[in-house]
Amino acid sequence: MTLGIYGDDDRRPYFFLSYARSRFRPDDGTDPDRWVTKLFKDLCHDVGVVTGMPTPGFMDRQIPAGTQWPDHLAEALASCRVFLALLSPAYFTSEYCGKEWAAFLGRVKSQQAGLDRPLAVIPALWTRLDPSELPPDLKSMQYIPPDFPSQYAAEGFYGIMKLGRYREQYKQAVLQLARLVKETAEQADLATGPISDFDALGNAFADYRGRARGRRPIKLTVAAHRLDSLPPGRDTYYYGRTMPEWTPYRNADYTTPIARYAEQVVAELGHEPIVDSVDEPATDPAASPTVLLVDPWVSRDPAIGGELRRIDEDPVNVLVPYNADDGETADAEKDLNRTVDAVLGRSLVLPGSVKSVASIEAFRAALPKAVGEAINRYFKEAPVHPPEIEPTMERPTLELPDK
């Protein structure tokens, strides 16, 4: 890959902030991740001061709307000097955090094989964590540096930010973290990338996540247009190179693909999300409860519409996002509703299915019910395979010997 954004060595981010987005959506519309954003800005200020560099850090909030976020993430991961992981219980259930971790460690291992250099990874506590909540590989890492204030170890960054009496301890912890970022970057002396295809990367925490709480797999199957398959005149703003990159609620402040957001909500519910698409299914549709996320525009596509008709023969729960601010969709809503009904008529009448989900808040409210209904139906209708029984043997008898 090319490092078009950070090609100048002085422009490389000193750190890449890897964090799990909040799955809670406040009713008042406030940003649920505003405290993470504040920490990032405060840390950038201190890193900029102690390093003198113009690009202290990278956070996914910096990705401009309308750009391909996997490419932007990959470039930042290929260029940053330090990987800063903001640890929380949600971090280890996030598919994307696991991919970011795997991508960076792959880059480190390819460069530092045989070299005696520290790993350019800094785990930082976002919330209080018991050691039992950490994957085995992280338990040996130093995530509570000895020179950090004791309140940080007890509460994490979120706790000392929220509690006013710890304001000075928060400032001290941020400055100490900035110094640690600079020191780690200098000792590791990590060169730029490259990073493999981000979408194809595995999740570094997949095994741990599956073992941690015995999570039930839930399939989130996306049926949406790709940039190379849009109908004539359809705005490219909401689409990506793959179906799971579809972002129906995109605006200047919100750039998260719907599959990524749904994955986070499903993990919050205590399940194991599996994201795939109708053009690249990950598993047999009957292998686990499934929720289908449908772009209404694909109902007009002969190939995808045909695939949706096939899925509808054995109906699944469906959510159909409609962005009320998407003028093209609003103008075509009546016709799109008709074609969606035609290809998914049986699935749409299932309890938990919703045809017109007008906002991300409405989607957040609808998804748990769709997942619950999908699980209930799966256990009622999934085929049962009883264990094979060995052929019955004749009961032995004791016979007296012949006289």
Side-chain angles (χ1 to χ4, degrees):
M1 62 169 287
T2 61
L3 301 176
I5 301 174
Y6 308 111
D8 183 352
D9 192 65
D10 284 347
R11 306 294 304 183
R12 292 173 57 194
Y14 242 78
F15 68 92
F16 178 106
L17 182 64
S18 177
Y19 70 102
R21 284 177 177 261
S22 173
R23 296 152 193 162
F24 169 66
R25 309 300 299 183
D27 294 336
D28 60 5
T30 56
D31 179 9
D33 293 311
R34 63 189 183 279
W35 295 103
V36 177
T37 303
K38 173 175 169 50
L39 172 61
F40 174 75
K41 291 179 178 178
D42 291 342
L43 183 59
C44 279
H45 178 271
D46 285 0
V47 170
V49 170
V50 300
T51 65
M53 289 298 180
T55 312
F58 172 88
M59 181 183 184
D60 60 5
R61 292 285 182 103
Q62 297 173 317
I63 299 177
T67 60
Q68 295 303 312
W69 63 269
D71 289 346
H72 218 102
L73 282 177
E75 291 215 26
L77 285 164
S79 305
C80 65
R81 293 169 167 83
V82 172
F83 184 85
L84 177 59
L86 204 54
L87 304 185
S88 66
Y91 189 86
F92 306 112
T93 65
S94 167
E95 182 79 13
Y96 288 87
C97 291
K99 285 187 174 186
E100 291 165 359
W101 186 286
F104 187 81
L105 259 63
R107 172 187 161 201
V108 170
K109 290 177 181 178
S110 68
Q111 292 187 29
Q112 295 190 347
L115 298 177
D116 185 18
R117 293 179 184 174
L119 189 66
V121 175
I122 300 176
L125 288 178
W126 179 237
T127 61
R128 183 189 310 178
L129 282 175
D130 187 91
S132 65
E133 297 180 85
L134 296 172
D137 292 345
L138 268 74
K139 291 181 180 179
S140 61
M141 299 183 73
Q142 178 62 271
Y143 58 92
I144 305 179
D147 50 355
F148 275 48
S150 60
Q151 292 81 4
Y152 163 79
E155 302 290 348
F157 273 110
Y158 179 71
I160 60 177
M161 293 173 78
K162 291 282 289 183
L163 299 174
R165 64 181 180 274
Y166 293 148
R167 179 174 299 176
E168 294 305 314
Q169 288 82 357
Y170 168 69
K171 293 178 181 179
Q172 180 187 350
V174 172
L175 181 57
Q176 290 298 104
L177 182 57
R179 291 169 176 165
L180 182 58
V181 167
K182 179 178 183 290
E183 177 184 326
T184 303
E186 292 173 347
Q187 293 177 354
D189 192 23
L190 194 62
T192 56
I195 294 293
S196 303
D197 179 8
F198 188 82
D199 287 324
L201 288 169
N203 176 3
F205 308 124
D207 291 342
Y208 167 78
R209 183 172 66 174
R211 294 194 305 265
R213 298 178 182 85
R215 294 173 180 268
R216 176 181 294 111
I218 303 293
K219 275 189 62 178
L220 298 166
T221 300
V222 183
H225 278 299
R226 304 183 307 269
L227 284 172
D228 61 1
S229 67
L230 289 174
R234 176 64 176 140
D235 192 350
T236 61
Y237 183 68
Y238 303 101
Y239 298 94
R241 295 170 305 174
T242 65
M243 289 187 178
E245 292 179 31
W246 172 48
T247 311
Y249 302 115
R250 172 174 278 169
N251 59 38
D253 300 317
Y254 189 82
T255 60
T256 303
I258 196 66
R260 182 179 185 184
Y261 181 68
E263 176 188 57
Q264 294 172 340
V265 174
V266 168
E268 179 191 41
L269 296 173
H271 307 305
E272 177 72 14
I274 302 171
V275 174
D276 68 356
S277 56
V278 295
D279 59 343
E280 294 183 356
T283 58
D284 177 358
S288 58
T290 299
V291 176
L292 185 63
L293 310 178
V294 178
D295 170 15
W297 290 90
V298 299
S299 61
R300 294 177 171 181
D301 184 273
I304 304 176
E307 180 63 19
L308 294 178
R309 289 179 188 274
R310 186 193 65 76
I311 292 173
D312 196 51
E313 293 175 3
D314 188 9
V316 299
N317 277 97
V318 178
L319 295 179
V320 186
Y322 275 78
N323 184 350
D325 295 325
D326 176 2
E328 289 178 353
T329 299
D331 292 343
E333 183 173 2
K334 184 175 181 180
D335 182 63
L336 290 173
N337 278 335
R338 180 180 58 81
T339 55
V340 168
D341 286 340
V343 298
L344 289 169
R346 298 179 65 192
S347 296
L348 285 168
V349 299
L350 293 175
S353 291
V354 183
K355 184 165 59 177
S356 295
V357 188
S359 67
I360 189 64
E361 292 77 19
F363 181 86
R364 175 64 180 85
L367 183 57
K369 183 176 181 181
V371 169
E373 293 291 344
I375 292 171
N376 291 339
R377 193 174 60 264
Y378 176 78
F379 283 106
K380 288 179 181 178
E381 301 176 2
V384 177
H385 302 286
E388 293 185 4
I389 300 176
E390 295 292 334
T392 302
M393 297 179 60
E394 293 185 4
R395 177 177 295 179
T397 59
L398 181 61
E399 297 182 354
L400 296 175
D402 294 336
K403 293 184 178 179

